[in-house]
Amino acid sequence: MKQDKIFEALASTPRRQILAYLSEQELPAGDIAARFNMSAPAVSRHLSVLVNAGLISSERRGQFVVYKLVPDNLVNTLTQFAFEICPVGGPLKREARRAKKAAG
């Protein structure tokens, strides 16, 4: 069931942190790995779970695969709201917002 995949995806702290960071900008897997200090295989597994749950999508751009939130997913809408007040997600969301402004 789709709900089971969503709850499985949200049960992991690293995946919730990845969602918080992706809530402000799309990122290639390498940038996510660098930000979260995870190995490439670990990031790949987390991203795969999030994609399979329909929370994020991926797009190949040259040699990079870029990930972003699926904007019309109700869970993402609720999660973005929660990240604003969450003691862990809030700082990551603000950091991502600052990085986005600095980049462009």
Side-chain angles (χ1 to χ4, degrees), residues 57-99:
S57 64
S58 63
E59 177 184 333
R60 180 162 289 284
R61 295 186 190 158
Q63 63 181 354
F64 300 103
V65 177
V66 177
Y67 292 88
K68 63 181 180 178
L69 287 183
V70 174
D72 53 347
N73 185 309
L74 178 60
V75 172
N76 282 335
T77 302
L78 295 173
T79 303
Q80 285 188 39
F81 171 75
F83 284 149
E84 290 296 332
I85 58 172
C86 173
V88 173
L92 288 171
K93 187 172 175 75
R94 288 187 289 279
E95 179 184 327
R97 195 177 295 139
R98 286 190 303 272

